[in-house]
Amino acid sequence: SGQVLDSATGRPFGVPVRVGELLAEHVDLAGPVTRRELRAWMMAARCPPDQARIPQWLADFPTLAASRPRMVDLLAQVPSVQLDLATLLSLRPALKPRYYSISSSPLLAPDSCSLTVGAHRFRCGDGTEHEGLCSTYLAGRAEGTTLRVVVKDTGSAFHLPEDPSAPLILVGP
């Protein structure tokens, strides 16, 4: 898309971007909640039950963090907390890239590549089921769907041997 990403935040810089795209593609909304966020929520809470609940979470933060609650799950429990976009962006980290290995051969398909991805599904400590952000997105795409991706050489030391007749043992998940 030709977007310029700020090297410090990983977010679009100096170009117009829709709020939905910004939140969906550049902000980690599913990552674990931090103490810093909870303190900001405490300041933004508008009703007494919510104002009382957040300090309880902070007081026992190690137990809360162990269940890895997502921001949206906790915010649903304190509906009077209203965060403006600037505050949300200052609190949440940039969405980290997901790296996948190409599983096709350029000798067989020189103009395309394929990935082999296992959809990540997991249960949080409170019993709620969640899905991996990128893996389940990819798993739900129809074959032949065009995706915007970045191909990056990770500098891996893994390479096939020069001799194509050399025996190989490859192990994967």
Side-chain angles (χ1 to χ4, degrees):
S1 70
Q3 287 185 348
V4 176
L5 299 183
D6 181 279
S7 61
T9 66
R11 296 188 180 125
F13 178 76
V15 293
V17 63
R18 289 185 169 88
V19 172
E21 178 186 341
L22 177 68
L23 294 176
E25 297 181 17
H26 300 284
V27 180
D28 184 356
L29 297 176
V33 173
T34 65
R35 284 183 176 96
R36 181 173 169 245
E37 286 176 295
L38 292 178
R39 286 191 289 270
W41 296 5
M42 203 164 44
M43 302 299 290
R46 299 288 175 239
C47 74
D50 293 350
Q51 292 167 340
R53 177 173 244 173
I54 298 167
Q56 291 171 346
W57 289 338
L58 276 166
D60 195 17
F61 189 76
T63 301
L64 177 76
S67 67
R68 297 187 51 81
R70 297 181 317 156
M71 179 189 75
V72 293
D73 297 328
L74 287 182
L75 278 176
Q77 297 179 43
V78 286
S80 76
V81 173
Q82 294 185 5
L83 302 172
D84 59 55
L85 182 61
T87 301
L88 179 67
L89 293 176
S90 73
L91 294 171
R92 295 306 302 167
L95 191 59
K96 293 176 180 62
R98 273 51 174 185
Y99 295 108
Y100 297 97
S101 296
I102 295 172
S103 59
S104 58
S105 167
L107 298 176
L108 294 177
D111 296 329
S112 65
C113 69
S114 64
L115 305 176
T116 302
V117 178
H120 181 61
R121 293 182 172 85
F122 59 98
R123 188 180 305 271
C124 282
D126 65 359
T128 57
E129 293 187 21
H130 298 287
E131 297 180 335
L133 180 65
C134 192
S135 65
T136 52
Y137 172 80
L138 290 173
R141 302 292 68 98
E143 186 174 328
T145 299
T146 300
L147 300 171
R148 187 177 75 193
V149 300
V150 173
V151 177
K152 178 182 179 188
D153 181 355
T154 61
S156 170
F158 174 78
H159 297 281
L160 292 173
E162 295 282 334
D163 178 4
S165 65
L168 299 173
I169 297 176
L170 303 173
V171 180

